[in-house]
Amino acid sequence: LIGSASFFGGLSRLTFSLVVIMMEITNDLTHISSLMMGVFISKTVADRFCHSLYHAILEVKCVPFLDVATKVHHLDTNCAKDIMTPKPICIPTVCKIVEILELVKTTSFNCFPVVSVADKSTFKGTILRSQLEQLMWFVYFRGQEESLATSNATTDNHASYEDMQRTKEKLFWDRLPSLPNLPTSDVHINIDLNPYMDTSALFVHETMSVSKTYDLFRNMGLRHLTVVNRSNSVTGILSRKNLVGDRMMDKIKAVNSPVSSSQCER
């Protein structure tokens, strides 16, 4: 019993929960002190040699995992624009349905920055890929029910929260594909994304230090973070892949290498 608990403790790094599980299996409290000591020793020894099983699985599956204790504070000479993905694909606040369909079909991004329709660069918010897909299905269902859509006309009747929930449930229970086959008369309709986008989405200035950007991204549990310049124009976007240690260091080395070479020439 103590050997099996110690082995699983060193493999998974579980401590108190593992002891409780073993106690529930055996229904015997006489071995609790020995179990706690065995699990503690196995975890201490295993931490000195390797990662846990769950950490190893994350590395095998290439899941971008952000550690708590890092040395990003040593990179404060660099800023967010050095590690971001430049020139992200943005969506204007008012656009045609055919443009949204083409964007969703040709890309695999989960989130898109929404920009002003006037200058196509001023940051207004973000919208998720799933929201765009549900919105396309809402237009499809409404067209089937009403058949009142006219080409080159802006939709005045926006989908409410209840409408989007009903659309989401119908997609789930009917196992429908991600995008509908909209008729030709509907794909040229202009649609306003203002009621659906997240206007409170977090963003950072491109001159924010790497450590502050990393802490904000990790502590807030974000998946995407838009980067803007002084005129509030979108210049890039950050995801977990941008903040993973090896990839982030490669980008910083690529940014710093021309500077260092020019200094050596001088």
Side-chain angles (χ1 to χ4, degrees), residues 207-218:
T207 58
M208 179 177 281
S209 64
V210 173
S211 61
K212 289 184 178 179
T213 305
Y214 186 94
D215 292 338
L216 175 65
F217 195 98
R218 190 188 183 284

Side-chain angles (χ1 to χ4, degrees), residues 134 138 141 145 159-174:
Q134 293 173 20
F138 170 77
F141 292 144
E145 295 174 357
S160 62
Y161 176 78
E162 290 76 13
D163 295 333
M164 297 297 285
Q165 286 296 113
R166 286 195 295 268
T167 303
K168 183 178 180 180
E169 292 176 0
K170 189 173 181 61
L171 293 177
F172 176 79
W173 292 112
D174 294 349

Side-chain angles (χ1 to χ4, degrees), residues 7 25 60 86 91 108 231 262:
F7 172 77
I25 293 175
V60 170
I91 306 177
S108 59
S231 59
S262 62

Side-chain angles (χ1 to χ4, degrees), residues 58-59 62-67 70 72 75 83 210 214 217 238-252:
L58 290 176
E59 292 180 347
C62 298
V63 177
F65 180 77
L66 302 182
D67 293 323
T70 59
V72 292
L75 306 175
I83 61 174
V210 173
Y214 186 94
F217 195 98
L238 290 169
S239 64
R240 286 182 176 269
K241 293 182 179 180
N242 296 102
L243 298 173
V244 173
D246 296 338
R247 186 169 299 186
M248 182 169 58
M249 291 303 301
D250 291 340
K251 280 204 168 190
I252 290 177

Side-chain angles (χ1 to χ4, degrees), residues 132-144:
L132 294 176
E133 294 174 352
Q134 293 173 20
L135 194 57
M136 295 300 97
W137 275 107
F138 170 77
V139 173
Y140 176 77
F141 292 144
R142 188 182 61 180
Q144 283 188 333

